[in-house]
Amino acid sequence: MTVSTPTRETLIQEIKETIEKKSVELLHMQFVDIEGTLKHVTITAEQLQQAVDGKVMFDGSSITGFTPINQSDLYLDPDLSTFAVLPWTEEEGYSEARFICSVTKPDGNDFDGDPRNVLKKTVERAKDKGYSISVGPELEFFLFETDEFGQPTQRTQDVGGYFEPSPKDEGEKVRLAIYKALKMMGFTIEASHHEVAVGQHEINFKYADALASADAATTYKWVVKTVAKQFGLHATFMPKPLAGANGSGMHTNISLFNEEKQENAFYDDSDHLGLSETAYQFIAGLIEHVKDFVAVTNPLVNSYKRLVPGYEAPCYIAWSASNRSALIRIPATRGGGTRVEIRCPDPSSNPYLAFAVVAAAGLDGVERELTAPPSVDADIFSMSPAEIEARGIENLPTNLEQAVDRLETGEIGLKTLGEHAFGEYIDLKRSEWNDFRTAVTGWEVDAYQAKF
C-alpha cells in the first residue's frame, strides 16, 4: 500500500497552525557538526517563512569540521517533517520548537561537510539501485549523579541490574519523563528498561528510513541529556564510563526494502534461515569493510575500552543467526521485519556518518555479489585463542589509532564521506589520538610515581 506524503504547502500550513495553537515564540534551527554534536541557531516564529525558504545564515568557520574563515557563510535548510514543539518549554502562552536542518552553500547546493548531507548521498545511491534503507538503532546510556557545581561524578543514581524494577531501579522515573517527552515529539517508543550495568539504561524507539532514524537518534541523545539534567543527573553516551562494567552500545538494525517488488529485500522463506541472497551479500559487505569503517562507528579513544571480551561487546568479526558474541546478528523476526544487526557501533558516534558507512559497506557487498563466510554459532568469548585463529575469526582494531589507519587506507571511508568530511574527520581523530598518546594519566601516576 502506498502512503501519500504531505505536500510542502500542507506541512507549512500545519506548522503555522501548531505555532499558533502552542504559542510558539522561538524556533531552534538544529544541525550537527562532524562529531555529531548538536548545534542550533535560534530565531523568532515571525521568521518562519525565512526559515522554510532556507535563508537562515550562520558562520560555518566556527563549527568543527566545516569551513575555513574565508568561506564561512553557510545556510540552514530545514526538514519540515522534523518540526516539533519542545515539551519542557511549554507553559501558559509560550513554547519553543525546533527543525532539524541540512546545510547548504550560498549557491544553494548541499554543503559536503554536513553529516546529514553525507547520509543523504548514501540514501540516494541505494535508491539508484532500487532500495530504500531502514534503520533501527538501540542507544544505551548511563545516569550519573552530579556534584555541587553540576558536574558529573562517577556515582550512579541506582544499583539496579538488567531488567530490574524499582526500588533498585531508581532510574525508572527518569526514563518515564524521557518517554513522555519523546512521545510528545512524535516518537513511537517500543521498550524501556534498566540495562546490565549499574546506572545504565535503554529506551528503544521504532525504526525509520535511514535519514529519519539518524534525526531521531540525534534528538534522542539531546532529550535524554536535557531531561536527566532536570533531575539533577548527568546522562552520558560515553561508551565505557566505568571500568569493569558493561559499556554502552548502539546496536544498529538495518534492512533494505526493494522498491520495485515492494518487499523486504532480506527475506526469503525458501532459505533455511529465511534470508535472501541480498541479505547474505549485505552481511559479506559488512564483514569485508568493518575494519575500514569502525573509526566512524566507534570514534573515541574510549570506544576501544568497550570492544574487549567479557562484556557482551563484539570484538570478533563474525556473524550468526542468534549468537550475541558475534559482531553481526540476525534477530529472529522474519518476513517484513527481517534485518541485520551490527553490534559494534557505540552511541558516541555521529549517527548520520555511522549509518552512512554501515549502509554503504553492505550495499557494496550487494553490488559486488560478495559471499558471506560461514556463520559462527558457538560462543566466541569462550573459545581459546587457538580455536579463534583456526576458525579464521579476526579482531576489530584494538585502539583508535589502528582504526583511523584503516579508515584512511580503506576505500569505504572516502567513498562514503566525500573528500571534505573525510579529510576533516581523519585530521580530527589523528589529533585526538595524539592528545591521548601524550597525556599522562592517573593510572600512570598511581602505578609509577612512587615506584620509580
Side-chain angles (χ1 to χ4, degrees):
M1 187 176 89
T2 302
V3 179
S4 60
T5 303
T7 65
R8 174 180 170 83
E9 291 72 22
T10 300
L11 284 173
I12 292 174
Q13 183 58 37
E14 290 174 352
I15 289 167
K16 288 179 177 178
E17 291 172 0
T18 301
I19 286 175
E20 183 176 358
K21 180 181 178 182
K22 295 284 189 177
S23 302
V24 175
E25 291 194 16
L26 298 178
L27 300 173
H28 302 292
M29 307 290 284
Q30 299 183 327
F31 63 101
V32 298
D33 67 12
I34 200 166
E35 293 184 285
T37 303
L38 193 65
K39 307 286 185 179
H40 70 214
V41 176
T42 302
I43 62 174
T44 64
E46 287 75 16
Q47 295 169 280
L48 174 65
Q49 193 60 52
Q50 178 186 352
V52 299
D53 288 342
K55 300 300 184 183
V56 175
M57 187 176 71
F58 71 100
D59 176 10
S61 68
S62 299
I63 304 298
T64 302
F66 272 30
T67 54
I69 197 166
N70 63 330
Q71 301 172 17
S72 60
D73 289 348
L74 294 172
Y75 290 82
L76 295 172
D77 181 24
D79 184 330
L80 301 184
S81 69
T82 65
F83 176 82
V85 176
L86 308 181
W88 56 87
T89 69
E90 291 193 58
E91 55 187 66
E92 185 67 32
Y94 178 86
S95 68
E96 300 168 18
R98 73 87 194 264
F99 290 104
I100 293 181
C101 305
S102 295
V103 180
T104 61
K105 296 183 291 188
D107 63 7
N109 291 319
D110 285 347
F111 169 56
D112 291 339
D114 173 25
R116 199 169 190 269
N117 289 336
V118 169
L119 179 55
K120 283 162 66 176
K121 288 181 180 178
T122 300
V123 169
E124 285 299 316
R125 286 201 292 270
K127 186 177 180 181
D128 290 343
K129 301 294 181 183
Y131 299 111
S132 59
I133 308 167
S134 294
V135 179
E138 303 168 8
L139 294 87
E140 297 166 333
F141 61 93
F142 279 81
L143 292 174
F144 287 102
E145 295 179 357
T146 56
D147 62 20
E148 64 271 26
F149 303 106
Q151 297 301 306
T153 69
Q154 283 277 285
R155 298 188 305 272
T156 60
Q157 50 46 266
D158 71 63
V159 293
Y162 193 53
F163 277 21
E164 283 192 323
S166 59
K168 283 191 174 181
D169 177 12
E170 295 182 10
E172 255 186 353
K173 58 183 180 294
V174 186
R175 293 201 310 273
L176 177 59
I178 294 168
Y179 159 78
K180 289 179 177 179
L182 290 171
K183 186 177 179 182
M184 291 175 70
M185 293 179 72
F187 280 66
T188 299
I189 304 300
E190 295 187 329
S192 171
H193 61 87
H194 197 287
E195 261 295 341
V196 175
V198 293
Q200 189 183 34
H201 306 271
E202 183 176 320
I203 301 172
N204 295 332
F205 49 88
K206 189 177 181 180
Y207 74 91
D209 67 84
L211 193 63
S213 189
D215 289 340
T218 300
T219 301
Y220 169 88
K221 290 199 281 186
W222 178 49
V223 172
V224 167
K225 285 179 171 290
T226 299
V227 173
K229 191 170 183 178
Q230 294 170 356
F231 285 82
L233 301 170
H234 176 77
T236 182
F237 292 91
M238 179 180 177
K240 188 81 168 182
L242 296 175
N246 281 31
S248 290
M250 183 179 73
H251 300 162
T252 300
N253 296 270
I254 187 167
S255 61
L256 298 181
F257 187 80
N258 188 309
E259 294 289 349
E260 181 182 353
K261 297 181 179 180
Q262 288 290 294
E263 63 184 20
N264 187 318
F266 284 176
Y267 178 60
D268 182 352
D269 61 1
S270 67
D271 178 72
H272 73 291
L273 291 178
L275 299 178
S276 69
E277 187 176 17
T278 300
Y280 287 114
Q281 292 167 348
F282 194 93
I283 292 167
L286 294 180
I287 288 175
E288 173 154 317
H289 292 296
V290 65
K291 286 186 179 182
D292 296 337
F293 69 64
V294 72
V296 177
T297 56
N298 303 80
L300 306 183
V301 168
N302 181 256
S303 297
Y304 299 85
K305 306 292 179 71
R306 168 182 167 258
L307 296 176
V308 295
Y311 297 98
E312 297 188 16
C315 48
Y316 299 112
I317 303 173
W319 77 276
S320 171
S322 58
N323 183 5
R324 292 178 184 267
S325 67
L327 175 77
I328 297 163
R329 188 177 77 92
I330 312 300
T333 305
R334 290 296 180 268
T338 308
R339 61 195 186 272
V340 170
E341 177 189 68
I342 180 165
R343 296 171 61 81
C344 64
D346 71 54
S348 70
S349 63
N350 182 332
Y352 299 99
L353 300 184
F355 299 167
V357 294
V358 169
L363 284 165
D364 184 65
V366 175
E367 291 168 3
R368 294 166 54 204
E369 299 181 348
L370 298 181
T371 301
S375 64
V376 178
D377 299 323
D379 180 5
I380 304 173
F381 293 151
S382 67
M383 295 180 188
S384 67
E387 186 177 357
I388 290 172
E389 183 177 0
R391 287 175 175 258
I393 301 172
E394 297 184 26
N395 278 34
L396 290 174
T398 59
N399 61 52
L400 181 61
E401 181 183 39
Q402 292 178 8
V404 174
D405 285 344
R406 288 297 301 252
L407 177 65
E408 189 168 29
T409 57
E411 294 181 1
I412 204 73
L414 179 58
K415 180 180 178 182
T416 307
L417 272 60
E419 188 173 344
H420 180 102
F422 179 77
E424 291 288 339
Y425 193 85
I426 292 291
D427 288 347
L428 181 69
K429 292 295 130 181
R430 290 281 185 214
S431 177
E432 184 175 337
W433 175 257
N434 192 58
D435 288 346
F436 171 73
R437 183 182 62 82
T438 58
V440 178
T441 66
W443 182 91
E444 292 170 277
V445 173
D446 292 342
Y448 302 139
Q449 188 175 29
K451 184 176 181 180
F452 295 102

